[in-house]
Amino acid sequence: MKSRIAVLASVLLLGACAQLPDPSESAVMNLFVVTPQAPDMRYQIEIAKLTDLANHQNQLDDASMAQLLYRRGSLYDALGLSGLARIDLNRALERDPRLADAYNFLGIQYTEIEQYNYAYEMFDSALELEPEHPYALLNRGMTAYYDGRIDLASKDYQRYFESQPDDPYRVLWLYLAEVETDAEAARRNLAERRIKYANGAWGWVLNDLLLGVVDEQSFLNDYAPKHLGEDETLAERMCESYFYLGKLKQLEGDNQAAAVYFRLALTTNVYRFLEHRYAGIELQRSQQALEQQASSTKLDAQ
């Protein structure tokens, strides 16, 4: 299920970053690399059944057809078939314009392809229809975060955090927004929330990683691949681990190691995790930072 690859960084960076300096000496050179998650056969079987039902749509009213299309679209999304997912989600809204979940899903997809204005529209629609929607507030915060509107992201993350402060991921994303404007204050806030709200959930280890309580190598050896939840796969655990290691390396200014970690998050094929969804954007931004660094170094040498 997993193997150690001593030259992983140089292999993964081949091509796109070939002209860049050698990877830094870090835990990135000695990683667990997981087998990508295989497409779930149950999802594929359900898609086939839903498609058969859709072919008899004259027997379904609009509300039922909208739910069918939404469900099939969400399954396509979980299998990484984002184009087919968007088609079904839009068709679902044609049948039922009040389907908040479909707006939320479309907002995520527009954020993934950096179509931020459309994403805001989708999340605003979801929240207008369902003000207490369990995910739309977080996802709108994600859109603002990647759109560079950190003030708006912080507001949404703060509201999302306050509704369940013992959720380690809510704490984590609030920190990632706050650190963009005041790194020292953000670290203090993270430490205080860690002390006040932490429980035995796995995600709190990710907060410890960003705080520096757990170092990179110990995290990879002693935490990331161990004590999986009952329904948790190693690919899922490592998708999260790789992503937040990438964010840590970004914050440390090591964009080359960050790029490796984001590539690894993408290779897990855990399409439904937000960490997989946004690893592509993060990888692109790390590569851009490296290119700017290389260009600056070249200018200094002239």
Side-chain angles (χ1 to χ4, degrees), residues 5-150:
I5 300 181
V7 293
L8 174 68
S10 58
V11 172
L12 288 173
L13 289 170
L14 199 60
C17 302
Q19 76 276 23
L20 297 169
D22 291 337
S24 60
E25 292 295 329
S26 71
V28 80
M29 297 297 292
N30 191 28
L31 286 176
F32 284 117
V33 183
V34 298
T35 301
Q37 187 148 288
D40 195 316
M41 183 59 68
R42 295 171 301 175
Y43 292 172
Q44 298 177 67
I45 292 171
E46 187 175 351
I47 286 172
K49 291 179 179 178
L50 291 171
T51 300
D52 186 55
L53 284 172
N55 290 335
H56 300 85
Q57 57 181 298
N58 59 323
Q59 300 175 16
L60 298 174
D61 58 31
D62 280 345
S64 298
M65 191 62 185
Q67 287 292 337
L68 184 154
L69 291 167
Y70 166 75
R71 175 59 182 168
R72 189 174 68 176
S74 66
L75 292 170
Y76 279 139
D77 180 84
L79 292 171
L81 302 171
S82 57
L84 292 174
R86 271 198 298 279
I87 290 171
D88 270 0
L89 293 167
N90 278 300
R91 286 176 176 172
L93 287 173
E94 289 174 5
R95 295 293 188 120
D96 183 1
R98 298 188 60 79
L99 198 56
D101 286 341
Y103 287 113
N104 178 64
F105 246 115
L106 281 169
I108 294 169
Q109 293 218 340
Y110 283 127
T111 303
E112 286 183 77
I113 59 176
E114 300 183 79
Q115 296 290 321
Y116 299 122
N117 288 337
Y118 289 122
Y120 289 126
E121 289 178 18
M122 296 299 106
F123 293 129
D124 288 347
S125 296
L127 289 166
E128 182 178 347
L129 290 166
E130 194 175 331
E132 301 302 318
H133 191 282
Y135 303 113
L137 195 62
L138 166 68
N139 291 324
R140 189 176 67 180
M142 292 288 184
T143 301
Y145 178 81
Y146 285 109
D147 191 26
R149 302 176 69 179
I150 302 301

Side-chain angles (χ1 to χ4, degrees), residues 88-302:
D88 270 0
L89 293 167
N90 278 300
R91 286 176 176 172
L93 287 173
E94 289 174 5
R95 295 293 188 120
D96 183 1
R98 298 188 60 79
L99 198 56
D101 286 341
Y103 287 113
N104 178 64
F105 246 115
L106 281 169
I108 294 169
Q109 293 218 340
Y110 283 127
T111 303
E112 286 183 77
I113 59 176
E114 300 183 79
Q115 296 290 321
Y116 299 122
N117 288 337
Y118 289 122
Y120 289 126
E121 289 178 18
M122 296 299 106
F123 293 129
D124 288 347
S125 296
L127 289 166
E128 182 178 347
L129 290 166
E130 194 175 331
E132 301 302 318
H133 191 282
Y135 303 113
L137 195 62
L138 166 68
N139 291 324
R140 189 176 67 180
M142 292 288 184
T143 301
Y145 178 81
Y146 285 109
D147 191 26
R149 302 176 69 179
I150 302 301
D151 55 333
L152 297 181
S154 294
K155 289 178 182 178
D156 277 353
Y157 289 156
Q158 181 69 38
R159 286 177 57 194
Y160 190 65
F161 158 74
E162 288 172 353
S163 66
Q164 190 178 333
D166 63 348
D167 180 346
Y169 297 97
R170 300 176 193 232
V171 175
L172 191 55
W173 279 98
L174 181 55
Y175 167 74
L176 289 174
E178 290 177 343
V179 78
E180 293 290 327
T181 54
D182 189 333
E184 290 187 12
R187 285 182 62 81
R188 286 196 303 272
N189 291 340
L190 179 58
E192 289 171 2
R193 292 165 187 147
R194 173 69 175 86
I195 293 169
K196 187 174 182 179
Y197 298 112
N199 49 37
W202 142 255
W204 286 106
V205 179
L206 297 169
N207 286 274
D208 288 343
L209 175 70
L210 292 182
L211 275 172
V213 175
V214 175
D215 66 73
E216 184 181 356
Q217 192 64 67
S218 296
F219 174 77
L220 284 166
N221 291 342
D222 303 328
Y223 295 96
K226 298 181 179 179
H227 308 298
L228 301 181
E230 185 176 343
D231 298 322
E232 185 180 15
T233 67
L234 184 58
E236 291 170 347
R237 171 66 65 83
M238 295 311 296
C239 179
E240 291 183 342
S241 297
Y242 294 143
F243 181 88
Y244 293 110
L245 280 164
K247 294 301 292 180
L248 172 67
K249 302 316 277 185
Q250 276 185 342
L251 293 173
E252 292 176 350
D254 189 351
N255 282 290
Q256 193 153 350
V260 173
Y261 282 126
F262 292 132
R263 284 178 184 273
L264 283 169
L266 289 169
T267 66
T268 63
N269 289 353
V270 186
Y271 298 106
R272 61 191 178 84
F273 275 26
L274 69 85
E275 291 84 2
H276 187 282
R277 294 181 185 281
Y278 300 127
I281 297 177
E282 297 287 3
L283 174 59
Q284 180 182 1
R285 294 185 177 187
S286 290
Q287 290 174 328
Q288 289 172 346
L290 285 168
E291 290 168 3
Q292 292 171 0
Q293 179 184 343
S295 177
S296 177
T297 301
K298 186 181 293 185
L299 287 173
D300 291 343
Q302 290 178 350

